[in-house]
């Protein structure tokens, strides 16, 4: 998308302990970009690097990421990032296929903290925007992830063009997206959050428009399925479904697809640790 980028050498470390030994103190920022099923390993990974003023940015998919991190680290130092981009990795090469925006919110929705994120990325080429309501933005990203990652996996590993190009699958994706949007709105209300009004029909229309132009894109969870790797079932699918049930929200279509994903997970022996 933005041209080729090659690095002859990188400042990489084999462990947090090595990075800590090479640094002069606590990290200012730690960016976490793990698969969500690896969250149980985060306390051991981050503790050597984190001090009282360290901020943690989790660029990860799913619902409940920040709450899990806040069990170990200060809640007011945690940020959530949503990457709206199409990337695949092939033979050690990251292929940036389309889009590239990064949306970041603060766990407490503090404007002063969002300003710190802007400072972090101000000299980069990342197309950053900040979210005044992190929970709303999490549901905004789930609006795409739940139906398209979900159906790609439930159907055994198909690309997004197959979903939007098939009348029945497209209709099912639409119903799932409507359920996600409605649950997100209910979740905001339950937490006394106004949001920005992003969760609505224009978002649904935009998600379908973007997907229509993606071509044969392979969503990340579908890649995990076909390559025999663990899938991010809990945070991307189970947690939103559970929240819908807690709130009494519509979830019949989402629940059916999540059941199929869980079955794929079990039948292929892919359950995460």
């Amino acid at each position: 998308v933005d041209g080729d980028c090659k690095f002859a050498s990188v400042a990489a470390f084999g462990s947090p302990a090595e990075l800590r030994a090479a640094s002069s103190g606590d990290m200012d920022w730690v960016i976490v970009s793990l698969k969500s099923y690896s969250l149980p390993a985060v306390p051991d990974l981050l503790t050597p690097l984190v001090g009282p003023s360290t901020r943690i940015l989790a660029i990860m998919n799913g619902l409940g990421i920040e709450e899990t991190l806040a069990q170990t680290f200060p809640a007011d130092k945690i940020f959530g990032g949503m990457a709206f981009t199409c990337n695949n990795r092939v033979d050690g090469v990251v292929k940036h296929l389309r889009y590239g925006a990064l949306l970041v919110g603060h766990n407490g929705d503090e404007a002063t903290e969002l300003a710190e994120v802007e400072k972090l990325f101000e000299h980069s080429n990342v197309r950053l925007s900040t979210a005044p309501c992190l929970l709303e933005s999490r549901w905004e990203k789930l609006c795409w992830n739940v139906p398209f990652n979900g159906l790609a996996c439930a159907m055994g590993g198909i690309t997004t063009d197959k979903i939007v190009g098939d009348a029945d699958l497209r209709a099912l994706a639409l119903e799932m997206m409507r359920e996600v949007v409605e649950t997100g709105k209910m979740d905001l209300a339950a937490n006394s959050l106004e949001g920005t009004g992003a969760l609505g029909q224009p978002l649904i229309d935009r998600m379908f428009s973007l997907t229509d132009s993606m071509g044969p894109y392979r969503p990340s969870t579908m890649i995990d399925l076909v390559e025999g790797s663990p899938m991010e079932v809990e945070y991307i699918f189970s947690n939103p479904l559970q929240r819908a049930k807690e709130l009494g929200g519509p979830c019949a279509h989402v629940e059916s697809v999540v059941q199929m994903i869980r079955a794929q997970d079990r039948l292929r022996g892919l359950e995460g640790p």
Side-chain angles (χ1 to χ4, degrees):
V1 173
D2 295 317
D4 293 337
C5 216
K6 296 181 180 179
F7 301 93
S9 62
V10 294
F13 299 87
S15 70
E18 288 182 15
L19 175 56
R20 178 72 190 197
S23 67
S24 58
D26 299 329
M27 304 296 112
D28 295 322
W29 285 88
V30 175
I31 297 177
V32 183
S33 294
L34 299 170
K35 293 284 190 177
S36 58
Y37 55 73
S38 295
L39 276 171
V42 167
D44 288 340
L45 289 172
L46 266 61
T47 297
L49 309 174
V50 172
S53 62
T54 302
R55 294 179 172 89
I56 300 170
L57 169 57
I59 306 177
M60 302 171 64
N61 287 323
L63 186 69
I65 304 292
E66 293 77 31
E67 291 83 350
T68 298
L69 291 174
Q71 294 173 11
T72 306
F73 305 102
D76 62 343
K77 296 297 182 183
I78 296 172
F79 299 74
M82 285 62 62
F84 293 86
T85 181
C86 296
N87 301 304
N88 288 161
R89 292 182 298 276
V90 180
D91 298 327
V93 177
V94 177
K95 294 185 177 293
H96 182 191
L97 306 173
R98 193 177 290 269
Y99 312 123
L102 177 63
L103 178 63
V104 175
H106 176 249
N107 194 42
D109 294 334
E110 292 290 342
T112 54
E113 289 296 321
L114 292 177
E116 295 298 321
V117 177
E118 293 173 340
K119 291 178 185 178
L120 178 65
F121 287 95
E122 65 181 343
H123 297 301
S124 75
N125 290 325
V126 176
R127 293 189 286 278
L128 174 77
S129 57
T130 55
C133 179
L134 176 55
L135 181 62
E136 181 182 47
S137 296
R138 281 291 180 198
W139 282 106
E140 182 179 352
K141 184 67 186 293
L142 288 166
C143 185
W144 193 92
N145 276 333
V146 171
F148 288 109
N149 262 301
L151 286 170
C153 293
M155 293 300 295
I158 62 173
T159 50
T160 54
D161 61 318
K162 303 296 184 185
I163 298 171
V164 294
D166 180 89
D168 288 328
L169 290 177
R170 188 183 185 98
L172 180 52
L174 175 60
E175 291 304 321
M176 293 175 69
M177 201 174 288
R178 286 172 173 165
E179 290 176 354
V180 171
V181 165
E182 186 60 29
T183 301
K185 291 162 66 175
M186 294 174 71
D187 201 12
L188 290 180
N191 285 277
S192 301
L193 297 171
E194 292 186 5
T196 65
L199 299 176
Q201 187 61 43
L203 173 63
I204 293 174
D205 294 341
R206 179 165 58 88
M207 290 299 181
F208 271 96
S209 177
L210 291 172
T211 310
D212 284 334
S213 67
M214 283 181 187
Y217 180 64
R218 303 168 73 216
S220 60
T221 314
M222 173 272 220
I223 293 174
D224 291 335
L225 174 70
V226 299
E227 293 186 353
S229 300
M231 297 190 294
E232 297 181 273
V233 176
E234 179 181 357
Y235 286 87
I236 295 180
F237 304 110
S238 295
N239 284 358
L241 174 59
Q242 180 61 34
R243 189 61 177 144
K245 290 183 174 182
E246 291 170 354
L247 294 168
C251 60
H253 299 86
V254 169
E255 183 169 21
S256 294
V257 172
V258 171
Q259 288 172 332
M260 294 174 69
I261 296 168
R262 289 170 177 164
Q264 291 276 14
D265 210 29
R266 290 190 301 273
L267 294 172
R268 301 193 185 205
L270 304 179
E271 291 94 339

